[in-house]
Amino acid sequence: MPEPADNNTADAAVEADQPELLSRRDRRRSEDADARTGTMPIISPEDIDNRTPPRPVRSGSWAEAAAAADAPAHDDPTAPGRTAPGRSPLAVPPIESIPPLPPRAAVPAAPDSAPSVPALPTRSTRSASRAAALASPAPDFISSPGLFVREQKPRPVGGLRGALFTMTGGGLNLGPSTRQREEDELARRISRQLQGSYNTAVLSLKGGIGKTSTTVGVGLTLAEFRGDPPCAIDANPDSGDLVERALGEGIYQQQSPRTITDLLNNVESVTSLTALARYMHHAGRLHLIAGEQDPEVSDSLTAEEYLRIRELISGYYSVALTDCGTGVTHNAMSGILQSADNLIIAAGYAVSGAKRARSTLHWLAGHGYEDLARNAVVVITDKDEVSSRVDKDAIEDHLAGICRQLIAVPHDRGVADGDLVTLDVLRPETRRAYREIAAAIVDGYV
């Protein structure tokens, strides 16, 4: 059995094989206590006294604590530029010995043509936009109905457009024709709402040229399109037939033939429209005051009496027509012209009728009624189908330059017979002429 090996002999062999390990270990053992040997360093009482005391922790807010921790301590011996007692200062190499940094690579400049990126809206900008949107009034069905409902084309009436609309049950709507649009515009002008009461006088220097028929035709047209009924006054001193032309001779005789004279005798007692209606005649929605038929008193209407009638009528009617009869010098004429807002001058295609119409305008301009003459509407009625030798265009040109508007009424048996005038039996061209006259009259009011 072999003998155990001697430990000293083994250690010597190990040390012989690893001389470098033994030398490092011996060096570590011989170093100071603060070397990496795993042993605790020896601290003397002097070292304890020279150590920097820890900073007190203040019981403030987190921001105060952070600011206090970041602030440099004046008495801190470890602060830069100070040396702790018993320790050598930190060796800082001189600035000249520090090698310079390598040059930074040049950054290429942005091209001028680079697209600019729009800045994103900030929170305050978005809040301001939202507040402005809420402050602006939102559209509603009352103020902006077109935003919610598509506009519907007007229904065409008559002609090919109207036939196509009827056959397709409204599926094909080409809209109204040019003629229908013109008719709608005339209706709009006639039906305009008026603020106050207005009076139009119809006069001429020659009888039998369509003065009374124009009064009736235009009065019935106004009654057809306006929401408020018009009133027509017969101020003809020569037994005017205004009511007979509007109602017919037989019907007028069957009614109580109250006249303008009866109204004047009881004007103080008329305090309502109901009381006034007892002295009125009605042709549909056209209300009429008959002229005096007695020759002995027919010429007795004075300017003052007419003004009393006009003042009474103005309280109940917004539009009044006054049939003045023939001439401009009878007793009531000054009161009629004084209260008139515009005039209709009746004329004919005969040479004599055109000359008298021009003379009427000149007389008005020379007697203080220049505005009425300038704004007058001249109506030429073709009652007798004048000879082809008469140049109608020349007569119209002769009168058109001295008035506001000239309108021609074509020949129509319903007007030329001198009997009852009703819109139902008139030709379409005649009815259109009366609509143009009615629209021109209302144009003079507004």
Side-chain angles (χ1 to χ4, degrees):
M1 181 174 182
E3 296 179 0
D6 189 2
N7 292 336
N8 295 331
T9 306
D11 293 339
V14 172
E15 291 178 357
D17 295 337
Q18 299 178 354
E20 187 175 356
L21 288 175
L22 294 176
S23 61
R24 289 202 301 269
R25 183 179 61 185
D26 293 340
R27 287 197 303 270
R28 287 197 300 270
R29 289 177 179 177
S30 64
E31 289 177 353
D32 296 337
D34 58 348
R36 293 183 299 173
T37 58
T39 60
M40 293 294 295
I42 300 174
I43 301 176
S44 62
E46 292 79 4
D47 294 335
I48 295 176
D49 296 336
N50 293 331
R51 291 180 62 183
T52 304
R55 295 181 180 178
V57 179
R58 299 178 180 179
S59 59
S61 64
W62 178 88
E64 294 176 353
D70 293 338
H74 296 287
D75 299 335
D76 188 2
T78 62
R82 295 180 179 270
T83 304
R87 294 186 183 182
S88 61
L90 181 63
V92 180
I95 298 177
E96 292 78 3
S97 64
I98 299 176
L101 295 175
R104 182 178 298 177
V107 179
D112 297 338
S113 61
S116 60
V117 179
L120 295 176
T122 61
R123 179 177 299 177
S124 61
T125 304
R126 292 194 299 269
S127 300
S129 301
R130 188 179 300 109
L134 294 175
S136 59
D140 52 28
F141 289 97
I142 299 177
S143 61
S144 303
L147 298 178
F148 306 95
V149 182
R150 293 181 180 178
E151 183 179 0
Q152 185 178 5
K153 290 183 180 180
R155 176 178 179 176
V157 178
L160 178 61
R161 296 169 182 255
L164 292 175
F165 183 88
T166 303
M167 288 188 299
T168 60
L172 181 59
N173 186 358
L174 300 179
S177 62
T178 303
R179 179 64 178 266
Q180 183 178 345
R181 289 196 295 270
E182 293 175 354
E183 295 289 340
D184 294 341
E185 176 62 17
L186 287 176
R188 184 196 65 81
R189 291 165 57 192
I190 298 172
S191 61
R192 278 175 293 184
Q193 185 177 6
L194 300 175
Q195 302 296 329
S197 179
Y198 300 89
N199 179 34
T200 297
V202 185
L203 55 92
S204 68
L205 291 181
K206 182 179 183 297
I209 56 176
K211 176 182 55 61
T212 302
S213 62
T214 300
T215 304
V216 176
V218 174
L220 293 173
T221 303
L222 290 169
E224 179 182 4
F225 289 96
R226 292 194 57 79
D228 50 340
C231 177
I233 306 171
D234 190 348
N236 192 335
D238 299 323
S239 301
D241 59 348
L242 176 66
V243 178
E244 290 91 328
R245 298 294 300 274
L247 299 178
E249 185 70 25
I251 297 178
Y252 174 66
Q253 294 298 331
Q254 294 175 5
Q255 294 182 358
S256 175
R258 294 181 179 269
T259 65
I260 192 172
T261 304
D262 299 324
L263 179 58
L264 281 171
N265 294 333
N266 301 277
V267 67
E268 299 297 337
S269 63
V270 178
T271 58
S272 65
L273 184 60
T274 303
L276 179 60
R278 290 182 293 180
Y279 301 92
M280 307 288 288
H281 301 272
H282 301 84
R285 297 181 66 250
L286 175 61
H287 300 179
L288 305 105
I289 299 178
E292 182 57 54
Q293 301 299 308
D294 188 352
E296 295 183 0
V297 297
S298 61
D299 196 27
S300 63
L301 182 66
T302 64
E304 291 75 13
E305 291 173 338
Y306 174 81
L307 290 176
R308 292 178 65 187
I309 297 294
R310 176 69 189 103
E311 183 180 2
L312 176 64
I313 295 301
S314 64
Y316 304 102
Y317 297 92
S318 61
V319 178
L321 303 177
T322 301
D323 186 0
C324 301
T326 303
V328 291
T329 58
H330 57 81
N331 295 335
M333 200 63 204
S334 61
I336 294 173
L337 294 177
Q338 179 180 344
S339 64
D341 295 285
N342 52 25
L343 301 177
I344 293 179
I345 307 299
Y349 278 115
V351 177
S352 59
K355 289 182 178 180
R356 286 185 172 89
R358 186 178 182 88
S359 299
T360 303
L361 293 172
H362 282 296
W363 184 91
L364 292 170
H367 289 77
Y369 304 105
E370 185 177 356
D371 291 340
L372 289 176
R374 185 186 304 111
N375 295 318
V377 178
V378 175
V379 177
I380 301 180
T381 303
D382 189 3
K383 289 189 63 177
D384 302 323
E385 285 189 305
V386 296
S387 171
S388 59
R389 294 187 301 108
V390 177
D391 190 348
K392 295 182 179 181
D393 294 335
I395 293 177
E396 292 178 0
D397 294 339
H398 180 72
L399 296 174
I402 58 176
C403 62
R404 174 165 60 93
Q405 190 172 352
L406 186 143
I407 301 173
V409 179
H411 179 74
D412 196 316
R413 291 283 304 272
V415 175
D417 289 345
D419 195 4
L420 176 67
V421 177
T422 58
L423 298 179
D424 296 337
V425 300
L426 298 180
R427 296 169 55 189
E429 294 80 4
T430 306
R431 298 186 61 178
R432 179 181 174 84
Y434 286 149
R435 285 194 289 269
E436 292 177 356
I437 299 171
I441 288 175
V442 179
D443 289 343
Y445 299 156
V446 297

